Amino acid sequence: MIKVLYSSVLRLLGVKIFIFLLLVTRLYHLRYGGLQMKVVMLLGTGVISFATMVVAQSPLPPDQPSGIYTSQGHLYYWNNARKTTCHVVNPIQNRVMAKKGVTNRDAFFTPYNYKDGCLWPQGVYEPQGEGKAFYINSHSQICHIPTPALHSMLAQKFGVNESSSFAIISSGLKNIGICPTPE
């Protein structure tokens, strides 16, 4: 609340400084003109630039718990540790994230430091109608699971998640082809 009030006061002061300088430079020009006006305009431009910078500065990042928030009808995942926001791409991703322990929050939220669509959580995915299973690891990589034995091991360790199409779940990930078999 104090941060919002402070930001609002700075914006208001920035606008008042801008208007004041505009009036002063106009009056000075009418009275004296010439070379002095150029000096005043240069000084005024610097102060106006500063005032504009104060008015246009970004808001401070929110200090809210990590989780999924709704803003203007869209779902966003807020990572408080990294101070980044990503867009939850569809209801299936929302359910998968909730199943992995991400909490849906009911609070006011404005996306900050937006990073596009969220990556899908680590685990096994079996897109319907594609006849293949894929594994997303913790290094932003996706791979095809080639054998039933590897599928069983990965599914047991990370779980099989509800899935969208391969095109949707692989967006933003590096496709490394066939998953390596652990030694």
Side-chain angles (χ1 to χ4, degrees):
M1 180 66 175
I2 291 175
K3 290 178 186 177
V4 172
L5 182 62
Y6 179 71
S7 178
S8 298
V9 168
L10 279 179
R11 285 191 185 117
L12 185 61
L13 284 176
V15 171
K16 286 184 178 184
I17 290 170
F18 176 78
I19 292 170
F20 172 75
L21 287 172
L22 195 61
L23 291 173
V24 167
T25 55
R26 294 288 179 212
L27 288 173
Y28 191 83
H29 178 65
L30 291 174
R31 240 185 217 178
Y32 301 104
L35 182 61
Q36 293 93 354
M37 181 57 196
K38 290 180 183 173
V39 172
V40 169
M41 286 304 287
L42 285 174
L43 289 173
T45 302
V47 175
I48 288 170
S49 297
F50 174 74
T52 303
M53 186 175 68
V54 168
V55 171
Q57 75 180 358
S58 299
L60 295 172
D63 190 20
Q64 292 178 257
S66 294
I68 296 174
Y69 293 86
T70 302
S71 178
Q72 299 180 357
H74 298 279
L75 293 175
Y76 295 94
Y77 171 68
W78 167 248
N79 183 324
N80 196 44
R82 293 184 179 152
K83 301 292 186 201
T84 58
T85 303
C86 62
H87 180 250
V88 177
V89 298
N90 62 26
I92 295 172
Q93 187 180 44
N94 185 31
R95 288 192 296 269
V96 171
M97 292 172 88
K99 187 177 174 186
K100 296 282 185 176
V102 177
T103 306
N104 280 313
R105 308 272 180 193
D106 186 23
F108 175 78
F109 183 76
T110 301
Y112 179 86
N113 199 13
Y114 183 73
K115 300 290 184 190
D116 208 12
C118 298
L119 299 179
W120 291 68
Q122 183 175 8
V124 174
Y125 294 86
E126 300 171 341
Q128 287 186 346
E130 296 190 26
K132 292 182 177 181
F134 299 92
Y135 170 66
I136 296 177
N137 65 24
S138 61
H139 305 292
S140 301
Q141 299 172 330
I142 189 167
C143 57
H144 169 249
I145 302 172
T147 65
L150 183 58
H151 181 280
S152 178
M153 188 207 57
L154 291 170
Q156 188 175 37
K157 188 171 183 178
F158 300 105
V160 177
N161 298 305
E162 184 178 5
S163 182
S164 287
S165 70
F166 176 76
I168 292 174
I169 66 170
S170 64
S171 180
L173 299 173
K174 180 180 179 185
N175 187 340
I176 59 171
I178 295 175
C179 298
T181 305
E183 303 296 321

